[in-house]
Amino acid sequence: MPFFNAKKLEELQSIAGGDHAFLQKIGETYIAQFDRKFPELKDAVAKQDAEQTEKLAHLLKGASYSVAADDLADDLADDFELLEKEAESGSMTGTQEIVDRIEQCMVEFRVVWLDVFTGKNLDALR
């Protein structure tokens, strides 16, 4: 399975018009948003706050789709969607496991995205 959603990645590359600095900025912006909001999400899950969990999972799901991060090894955007649906239903069972998967997947995302823009792993975009 490719790391990034190929179709969405092509759209991003088209929008960037070959400007790798712009693509790098998109990734950095996503990572910064994740770093700000994920601790809040973890806290909401720990407190079993379904409303806040749903809200934050929805926000981060959309952001993940925007950087084509829905074909990651553990399907980052899909895990946010699953977390959102669990919270929406009022069931918070299994949410900690989902949060743990998301956290691990973000480690992978950071490595691949940053490798691509330091020129170490350009094939990761394919």
Side-chain angles (χ1 to χ4, degrees), residues 8-19:
K8 290 178 186 169
L9 188 58
E10 283 177 24
E11 291 172 14
L12 276 176
Q13 290 171 325
S14 176
I15 290 167
D19 183 349

Side-chain angles (χ1 to χ4, degrees), residues 23-76:
L23 284 174
Q24 183 177 6
K25 184 67 175 168
I26 290 171
E28 289 170 354
T29 300
Y30 172 71
I31 290 168
Q33 180 182 36
F34 180 89
D35 288 347
R36 280 190 315 274
K37 294 298 180 183
F38 191 67
E40 292 177 38
L41 178 62
K42 285 174 65 172
D43 187 54
V45 168
K47 292 178 178 175
Q48 300 287 294
D49 183 340
E51 183 178 338
Q52 187 68 359
T53 297
E54 180 183 356
K55 185 186 304 182
L56 291 165
H58 181 79
L59 172 77
L60 290 168
K61 174 186 71 175
S64 298
Y65 281 124
S66 74
V67 294
D70 54 325
D71 269 353
L72 298 175
D74 293 318
D75 297 328
L76 185 58

